[in-house]
C-alpha cells in the first residue's frame, strides 16, 4: 500500500492565520496550499493536534476524513490573544461553517465529510474549546480518560493511536464510492 504524507507547519505559530508575507490571510494561503496537493488524490485524510488540529478543522472540507486532537476553535477563549480579533473571529466562523457544510457534503461533491475530534475529558480547556462544534452532524467527539492536552501522546502510550489511524485509513480505502455514509461512523460523543 503506497501512501503520501504532506506535513504543513505554521512557523509564525499563528494558528495558520498568518501567511508568509506576515499578513493575516493564512486561511486563504494554507487552504490554497493544501488544496493544491489534495486535488491530486481521490482519498484524503487530514490529521492534526493542537494548533495543527485547528488547521485540520479550518480546512476539513478538503478531506474525506479529518481527525483533530485537542483543537483550539475559539481563540478568544484561550491561546489566541496575540491574533487580531478579526482573524480569531474568521477562524472560528470558518471552522463552524465548514463543518456545518460538511454535514451535507464532502470534497468533490461526494458523501458526507467525517470529522473525529479527540479531547482529554479531564482537560477543561479542551472540552470547552470543542463545545461549539459538538452538535454539528459530521462531528464525532471522543473524550478520552486523560487530563492531558497532548492526546496523541496519551493514545500512543495507551497503545491506541496507531490502531485508531489504521482503522480510519482502512475505512477510507474500503469506502464505496456511491455510498452516502462511506465510513459507517456513529455521530455523537463517546468516552474511552
Amino acid at each position: 500500500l503506497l501512501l503520501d504524507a504532506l506535513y504543513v507547519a505554521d512557523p509564525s505559530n499563528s494558528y495558520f492565520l498568518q501567511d508568509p508575507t506576515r499578513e493575516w490571510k493564512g486561511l486563504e494561503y494554507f487552504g490554497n496550499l493544501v488544496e493544491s496537493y489534495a486535488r491530486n488524490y481521490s482519498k484524503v485524510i487530514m490529521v492534526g493536534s493542537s494548533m495543527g488540529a485547528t488547521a485540520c478543522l479550518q480546512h476539513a472540507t478538503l478531506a474525506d476524513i479529518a481527525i483533530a486532537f485537542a483543537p483550539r476553535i475559539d481563540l478568544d477563549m484561550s491561546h489566541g490573544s496575540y491574533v487580531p480579533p478579526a482573524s480569531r473571529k474568521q477562524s472560528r466562523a470558518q471552522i463552524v461553517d465548514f463543518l456545518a457544510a460538511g454535514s451535507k457534503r464532502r470534497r468533490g461533491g461526494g458523501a458526507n465529510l467525517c470529522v473525529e475530534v479527540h479531547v482529554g475529558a479531564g482537560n477543561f480547556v479542551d472540552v470547552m474549546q470543542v463545545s461549539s462544534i459538538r452538535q454539528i452532524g459530521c462531528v464525532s467527539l471522543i473524550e478520552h480518560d486523560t487530563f492531558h492536552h497532548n492526546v496523541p501522546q496519551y493514545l500512543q502510550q495507551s497503545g491506541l493511536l496507531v490502531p485508531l489511524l489504521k482503522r480510519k485509513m482502512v475505512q477510507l480505502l474500503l469506502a464505496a464510492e456511491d455510498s452516502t455514509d462511506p465510513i459507517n461512523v456513529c455521530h455523537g460523543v463517546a468516552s474511552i
Side-chain angles (χ1 to χ4, degrees), residues 117-119 121 134 140-144 186-192:
V117 178
H118 296 258
V119 296
R134 95 172 29 245
S140 293
L141 177 61
I142 297 101
E143 295 181 354
H144 299 276
C186 226
H187 298 296
V189 177
S191 293
I192 295 178

Side-chain angles (χ1 to χ4, degrees), residues 53-71:
T54 301
C56 181
L57 296 179
Q58 288 167 343
H59 307 291
T61 57
L62 298 175
D64 299 283
I65 295 175
I67 306 169
F69 298 100

Side-chain angles (χ1 to χ4, degrees), residues 27 30-39 41 43-46 55-66 94 98 105-108 113:
L27 288 174
F30 286 106
N32 289 338
L33 177 69
V34 172
E35 199 278 330
S36 73
Y37 288 94
R39 77 168 71 112
Y41 296 90
K43 305 285 185 197
V44 175
I45 296 178
M46 280 190 187
C56 181
L57 296 179
Q58 288 167 343
H59 307 291
T61 57
L62 298 175
D64 299 283
I65 295 175
Q94 181 158 316
F98 276 19
R105 61 168 173 74
R106 72 167 166 86
R107 71 185 196 104
L113 167 70

